[in-house]
Amino acid sequence: MANIAAQRIKREFKEVIKSEEVAKCAIKLELVDDNYTELRGEIAGPPDTAYEGGNFLLEIKVPETYPFNPPKVRFMTRIWHPNISSVTGAICLDILKDQWAAAMTLRTVLLSLQALLSAAEPDDPQDAVVARQYKENLEMFKLTARHWTNVYAGGPNVNPECDEKIKRLIDMGIEEHQARVALSSYNWDLERATEQLFS
Amino acid sequence: MSTTSTSEEVKDNTSREDEGDAPNTKDEDKSNENLLECNICLDTAKDAVVSLCGHLFCWPCLHQWLETRPNRPVCPVCKAAISREKVVPLYGRGSKKQEDPRNKVPPRPAGQRTEPDNNFSGFGFGDGGFHMSFGIGAFPFGFFTSTFNFGEPRPNMPPHGTPQNMEEQFLSKVFLWLALIFIAWLLLA
């Protein structure tokens, strides 16, 4: 059983290495261990989105029952997205759950995740806070997502205003990431974020 | 990774040269190989079956997929409805092992063989009209004449408006009146 999983991952790995997406640097796949049970994926933020210019690392765990059950995928890079937990990186995507089909491959999974970054589904959220912001204040959501992409995924868009507000909270003794989460959750309203942090 | 694949390619090429299959280019061979790959294990399909939507699988692979999700049987490639009964096994000619693949576990479903149509249309009811005849005659002969018309299909009604149709309508009316007159005569006599 584990044999068919390993055999398939081997073939898929070759397929990804040869694929044109890798040539375009859109996706990447690396082995973490020698028995093909854990891999490291990487996807580029799609152009014309808040994630453009960022590179997002993914943890891929292949179950023994692969390909009859989907691989377990999680974002290792922090990301601000309605369908991805900003805390754990857990992904809410149907093909990684009940819509998985045995003919899907790691390549199609990586491409689907890239597509998820350009087309969020706020009505089926993983992170309720992000999803609410997406629906109520899309501009604020884009600003926050761009800022997170810049800080955690190496994106090019620096936002001095955000950095300044975070610095103010750090000066009050708050840890940087905690400060960023609080400000992001309260639409970068410094007063409300402070209130929440000290309540 | 790349070193192993090149060594495989080299080996492939030499074996082909030995067989004298020079004209086939490598790309063609590769695409032909991919055509016969199982969509689940990505290896050459063993005990091959094909779904009604046309996707090829090893039967053990597909069986396991159907077992994994018994309440949602869909094609792993296109998500069309699929079931154990609705896959067709592929029997090639050159298989070395002559054993019946259905004896293996899991058993591969049998091929579906449909009988050709033989135009048998029941007892003459199917063609639109019940049809019975009777006759009167001396004992042994009458027995043969008054039978149901089993087996033989009745010729189809000619289309409306054709001369043949009108003729038949006329004839059937004439015979009906003859029969009625005959019965009346029997009763009166």
Side-chain angles (χ1 to χ4, degrees):
Chain A
M1 191 51 249
N3 199 22
I4 180 172
Q7 283 293 327
R8 228 190 89 141
I9 295 294
K10 247 184 235 178
R11 286 170 182 272
E12 287 187 34
F13 191 73
K14 278 187 193 172
E15 183 197 82
V16 171
I17 298 301
K18 284 183 203 155
S19 71
E20 51 185 276
E21 289 88 12
V22 165
K24 285 188 287 186
C25 299
I27 60 171
K28 228 187 251 181
L29 192 62
E30 284 166 12
L31 286 171
V32 173
D33 65 351
D34 287 338
N35 40 8
Y36 295 92
T37 54
E38 199 173 335
L39 296 98
R40 183 76 32 91
E42 193 178 322
I43 53 176
D48 303 320
T49 65
Y51 310 103
E52 183 171 9
N55 280 308
F56 299 88
L57 283 176
L58 297 150
E59 177 190 86
I60 303 170
K61 286 188 174 160
V62 182
E64 272 195 18
T65 51
Y66 186 81
F68 302 101
N69 287 305
K72 293 182 171 59
V73 189
R74 184 182 77 82
F75 272 83
M76 292 168 76
T77 307
R78 291 190 191 279
I79 185 168
W80 192 253
H81 186 285
N83 304 106
I84 301 158
S85 166
S86 59
V87 183
T88 63
I91 304 163
C92 178
L93 182 62
D94 56 356
I95 62 149
L96 292 176
K97 291 170 185 163
D98 57 325
Q99 290 297 309
W100 170 256
M104 291 175 179
T105 63
L106 294 179
R107 181 179 152 265
T108 58
V109 166
L110 291 179
L111 294 175
S112 301
L113 286 172
Q114 207 173 29
L116 181 69
L117 294 191
S118 30
E121 294 275 357
D123 292 323
D124 187 18
Q126 176 75 36
D127 195 308
V129 177
V130 185
R132 208 183 58 223
Q133 188 182 60
Y134 185 96
K135 285 169 96 168
E136 289 172 1
N137 195 341
L138 189 62
E139 282 312 307
M140 192 58 76
F141 162 80
K142 282 182 182 166
L143 181 148
T144 312
R146 218 172 285 131
H147 172 70
W148 280 54
T149 305
N150 165 241
V151 175
Y152 296 115
N157 299 303
V158 183
N159 189 326
E161 208 178 309
C162 294
D163 291 339
E164 177 57 33
K165 283 178 184 169
I166 290 166
K167 198 166 170 297
R168 294 269 295 276
L169 284 178
I170 293 173
D171 290 343
M172 291 184 219
I174 305 290
E175 193 264 324
E176 184 188 336
H177 179 66
Q178 207 187 345
R180 181 169 293 115
V181 171
L183 284 163
S184 301
S185 307
Y186 287 101
N187 293 340
W188 298 91
D189 183 331
L190 190 57
E191 263 177 47
R192 284 181 64 200
T194 318
E195 207 174 282
Q196 188 259 331
L197 284 167
F198 287 100
S199 64
Chain B
M1 189 56 65
S2 59
T3 42
T4 44
S5 68
T6 33
S7 69
E8 272 170 22
E9 281 162 19
V10 169
K11 214 172 77 185
D12 280 7
N13 278 341
T14 45
S15 67
R16 254 176 230 120
E17 277 161 19
D18 289 346
E19 286 160 22
D21 285 341
N24 272 356
T25 63
K26 187 129 197 341
D27 284 350
E28 273 175 22
D29 278 11
K30 264 272 187 283
S31 63
N32 281 346
E33 277 168 26
N34 289 345
L35 278 180
L36 298 174
E37 273 176 10
C38 164
N39 279 291
I40 293 178
C41 66
L42 312 183
D43 208 337
T44 310
K46 297 176 200 79
D47 293 340
V49 292
V50 71
S51 62
L52 291 190
C53 43
H55 296 113
L56 180 72
F57 307 97
C58 304
W59 170 243
C61 290
L62 186 65
H63 181 264
Q64 197 172 348
W65 169 248
L66 295 175
E67 292 281 295
T68 312
R69 289 156 191 248
N71 47 355
R72 204 177 65 92
V74 293
C75 170
V77 181
C78 68
K79 296 193 174 167
I82 195 172
S83 75
R84 189 194 176 82
E85 289 73 33
K86 282 182 182 162
V87 295
V88 180
L90 293 182
Y91 300 117
R93 184 163 168 272
S95 62
K96 286 164 200 156
K97 286 181 194 166
Q98 287 298 318
E99 66 173 308
D100 188 343
R102 277 167 291 182
N103 295 337
K104 290 181 198 167
V105 179
R108 182 158 58 147
Q112 298 151 21
R113 192 168 182 285
T114 338
E115 291 295 331
D117 289 344
N118 60 1
N119 289 327
F120 176 71
S121 58
F123 299 118
F125 295 98
D127 56 5
F130 175 62
H131 148 69
M132 187 178 115
S133 59
F134 65 93
I136 294 170
F139 163 64
F141 308 107
F143 187 72
F144 296 111
T145 46
S146 57
T147 54
F148 287 97
N149 262 28
F150 284 142
E152 278 174 19
R154 210 181 155 181
N156 284 332
M157 286 269 282
H160 278 281
T162 58
Q164 201 195 347
N165 184 25
M166 310 235 289
E167 211 168 275
E168 276 188 16
Q169 295 275 331
F170 174 66
L171 271 177
S172 84
K173 273 179 192 152
V174 167
F175 281 119
L176 185 66
W177 280 110
L178 274 178
L180 285 176
I181 291 164
F182 184 66
I183 289 165
W185 174 73
L186 274 180
L187 289 175
L188 292 173

